[in-house]
Amino acid sequence: MQLLKVLARVLEYPTAELQASKDALIAVVLEDKRLPRQLKEQILRSIDMVCTDDLLDLQENYVGTFDKGRATSLLLFEHVHGESRDRGQAMVDLMEEYRANGLEIDARELPDYLPLFLEYLSTRPWDDIKNWLEDIHHILGLLGERLYQRESFYHVVMDSLLELSGRTTNRQELAQLVASEERDDTPEALDKVWEEEMVKFVDDQGSSCSTGGVVGQRRRELEQTQTIHLSDQLLTDATPGQAGRA
């Protein structure tokens, strides 16, 4: 399903390569038959933004949106398991799912990274796609509402995925829930995370090291590219690459 590849591209860290693929991305959306017109128009506007706006501004916005705090993280299992051991097992299981169906990913990418997950789904039959999206529809709804309340155009990607899942959410309840949440991307909240997670251990020789934790992971993620690496077989036919809110 080529539309999922497009949604994955829109969610990736903005690059010159992404911007150069504008025409191909638009063509896929125009050919799609599953999304309602309003959502397709919103996706087209989002593509226009990520492909024509100043690249440095887009990259800064992306980091501010997805890499500060957990609330809008694109790591799916972070919303379900946090940093518990259950998340590790869930990622192992998902990795096995990928491998069983011919997907190999770069070691830098975590298997629950949403753009990567969408790349995988794009290779599967429609019934599989729908079932997987149904399984994560609660995450998509919450992410979409958080992004919407932060006035981020990325919310349209979550709205589109929710529409494809065939599941609905109670928008009023979600809006109230998100409005009551304490923001975790403020300077004060981020400082608190650093204080809590950068715990130092001193060994018997007086040397010290720090725990990786969420902060360490986020630092590594920011230093790495967001490029998705798929097997050549899955890339042979790849594109370069709910109704919408009022």
Side-chain angles (χ1 to χ4, degrees):
M1 187 179 184
Q2 296 299 308
L3 178 64
L4 291 180
K5 291 180 181 291
V6 171
L7 297 178
R9 295 291 182 267
V10 174
L11 278 182
E12 289 179 17
Y13 184 77
T15 62
E17 181 182 7
L18 170 66
Q19 293 190 323
S21 66
K22 177 181 178 180
D23 291 344
L25 299 177
I26 289 175
V28 171
V29 176
L30 292 176
E31 292 173 2
D32 174 71
K33 304 297 183 183
R34 295 187 182 275
L35 290 180
R37 179 178 177 180
Q38 184 179 6
L39 266 178
K40 290 176 69 172
E41 290 176 348
Q42 292 180 355
I43 294 173
L44 290 172
R45 287 197 292 271
S46 298
I47 291 174
D48 185 66
M49 290 179 63
V50 299
C51 292
T52 60
D53 285 3
D54 180 78
L55 185 56
L56 291 179
D57 289 343
L58 288 167
Q59 291 172 340
E60 181 180 5
N61 174 66
Y62 186 93
V63 171
T65 300
F66 296 117
D67 293 315
K68 292 183 178 180
R70 289 175 170 166
T72 56
S73 171
L74 292 179
L75 300 175
L76 293 172
F77 294 148
E78 191 164 309
H79 298 282
V80 180
H81 303 297
E83 292 300 304
S84 71
R85 292 184 178 181
D86 290 340
R87 182 185 177 196
Q89 184 58 54
M91 287 196 290
V92 169
D93 294 341
L94 185 56
M95 182 73 77
E96 289 302 315
E97 175 77 18
Y98 290 166
R99 288 173 177 166
N101 290 285
L103 177 67
E104 293 293 338
I105 66 174
D106 190 287
R108 295 174 300 179
E109 300 295 351
L110 294 176
D112 61 338
Y113 178 54
L114 182 54
L116 176 59
F117 181 66
L118 296 179
E119 286 275 4
Y120 166 69
L121 291 188
S122 72
T123 69
R124 307 305 299 151
W126 169 246
D127 287 345
D128 286 357
I129 293 172
K130 193 170 185 297
N131 288 338
W132 275 108
L133 292 179
E134 282 185 286
D135 285 346
I136 65 169
H137 82 276
H138 56 294
I139 301 176
L140 298 173
L142 194 57
L143 276 173
E145 184 61 36
R146 286 169 175 163
L147 291 167
Y148 179 71
Q149 291 197 20
R150 297 184 186 193
E151 300 182 343
S152 170
F153 68 87
Y154 286 108
H155 78 80
V156 69
V157 177
M158 308 306 166
D159 293 345
S160 299
L161 293 172
L162 200 56
E163 174 73 21
L164 292 173
S165 77
R167 298 292 295 268
T168 58
T169 59
N170 187 317
R171 284 290 178 78
Q172 185 174 4
E173 287 185 2
L174 276 178
Q176 293 175 348
L177 173 63
V178 173
S180 67
E181 293 177 337
E182 184 176 353
R183 292 282 291 260
D184 65 355
D185 61 337
T186 63
E188 294 78 14
L190 293 173
D191 285 344
K192 184 177 181 181
V193 172
W194 277 100
E195 292 171 359
E196 292 176 349
E197 299 208 21
M198 297 304 288
V199 180
K200 293 188 176 181
F201 297 93
V202 180
D203 60 27
D204 56 2
Q205 293 184 340
S207 60
S208 65
C209 61
S210 61
T211 59
V214 175
V215 174
Q217 175 181 310
R218 294 199 181 285
R219 291 182 68 186
R220 290 192 295 273
E221 290 169 355
L222 289 179
E223 292 169 354
Q224 296 165 352
T225 64
Q226 299 290 341
T227 302
I228 293 174
H229 299 278
L230 295 172
S231 64
D232 292 339
Q233 178 181 357
L234 296 183
L235 281 173
T236 54
D237 62 345
T239 301
Q242 196 134 255
R245 301 174 193 270

